[in-house]
Amino acid sequence: MLQAVLNGSRPADAHPALPVLARHLARDARAVARLGITSVHVHPRGPNGEETLDPAHVGDAVALIRAEVPGMEIGVATGRWIQPDPRARVEAVQAWGQLGVGKPDVCAVNVHEKGWVDVCQAAASVGIGVELGVWTSGDAVTLRQHGVPPRTVRVLAESTVSDPETAVAEAIRILRALGSLPVPVLLHGEEGGAWPVLEYAMRMGLDSRIGFEDVLVRPDGWLATGNDDLVKSALAIRV
């Protein structure tokens, strides 16, 4: 499975085609769906362009994407940098359960963040799946010691090393620390490490992801024209 990550935490001026508004996220979701993508991960924004967990804005983004691509799996972020208070994150996720067509299918929860177990429980209580973000081998050990929470749909093994020469080695360390899991692992990198890690994931038969959240350039180093351009580049890779 190849997931498209459409915007992440990047500022609006990071790329001319970066989708920030809800309607632009829906536009890009439609574009990547035409290439066969069935899962997107987005970071909804408020009126000021900042990331938000506010149910009103999360619901708007998810509902617009769902209207454009009814069968798409839609995931959103719950990062500490968006809302530092773990209790407020829990309350936001619980409120998402009342959004109807604007309710996300899954939410990403990072294992290294305080309150991650409570956020996972909140998601499960309202029927939202969980993508567990594991950024280091230490996070992997934490997850193995705790166990995979209910309604976890996948583990996101995230090599945060941007150096293309060492990003894959870091990814391998995380995978080894994770060991065998009862859910799929989606392996990905970022910036200079995005393409090498994606190629390694393909070679190993693992799920992966691509999009403006992780990288702005194609494998040839040229600036991508859009999320669909990055997806086309990923689908063209043969390993």
Side-chain angles (χ1 to χ4, degrees):
M1 189 269 286
L2 182 67
Q3 182 184 74
V5 289
L6 303 182
N7 62 344
S9 300
R10 295 189 188 275
D13 60 357
H15 189 286
L18 183 78
V20 174
L21 300 178
R23 68 175 183 271
H24 295 155
L25 290 169
R27 173 203 66 199
D28 279 24
R30 181 178 67 244
V32 298
R34 289 171 176 162
L35 299 171
I37 298 300
T38 59
S39 175
V40 295
H41 172 77
V42 301
H43 290 219
R45 309 292 177 98
N48 59 0
E50 298 295 323
E51 296 172 85
T52 181
L53 305 185
D54 186 315
H57 303 304
V58 171
D60 284 348
V62 172
L64 281 174
I65 294 171
R66 185 154 285 133
E68 289 288 345
V69 196
M72 182 73 77
E73 178 193 71
I74 305 168
V76 299
T78 67
R80 179 178 60 194
W81 65 91
I82 305 173
Q83 172 50 260
D85 185 346
R87 290 172 297 180
R89 292 202 299 275
V90 166
E91 291 169 0
V93 171
Q94 288 173 333
W96 295 348
Q98 309 302 315
L99 290 175
V101 296
K103 172 183 168 182
D105 298 302
V106 297
C107 62
V109 182
N110 295 316
V111 171
H112 68 273
E113 294 178 349
K114 183 179 179 181
W116 73 276
V117 173
D118 294 333
V119 176
C120 289
Q121 290 174 344
S125 73
V126 294
I128 296 174
V130 173
E131 296 179 313
L132 289 173
V134 174
W135 292 15
T136 66
S137 54
D139 294 346
V141 172
T142 297
L143 177 58
R144 287 181 61 186
Q145 290 174 341
H146 180 275
V148 175
R151 292 196 67 88
T152 298
V153 297
R154 64 184 64 92
V155 169
L156 306 177
E158 311 188 22
S159 175
T160 58
V161 176
S162 59
D163 178 4
E165 300 300 321
T166 57
V168 172
E170 177 63 13
I172 292 171
R173 279 192 288 270
I174 295 172
L175 291 174
R176 287 176 176 170
L178 281 171
S180 178
L181 294 172
V183 295
V185 173
L186 185 156
L187 177 66
H188 74 99
E190 61 182 36
E191 306 303 354
W195 291 110
V197 173
L198 182 140
E199 290 184 21
Y200 179 78
M202 288 182 167
R203 206 156 51 238
M204 299 303 293
L206 297 171
D207 295 339
S208 193
R209 73 183 209 182
I210 203 68
F212 278 149
E213 174 170 352
D214 289 346
V215 67
L216 299 177
V217 299
R218 302 188 310 230
D220 60 11
W222 286 91
L223 194 67
T225 58
N227 277 299
D228 55 341
D229 190 20
L230 293 172
V231 168
K232 288 176 185 176
S233 296
L235 294 175
I237 293 174
R238 295 292 180 265
V239 294

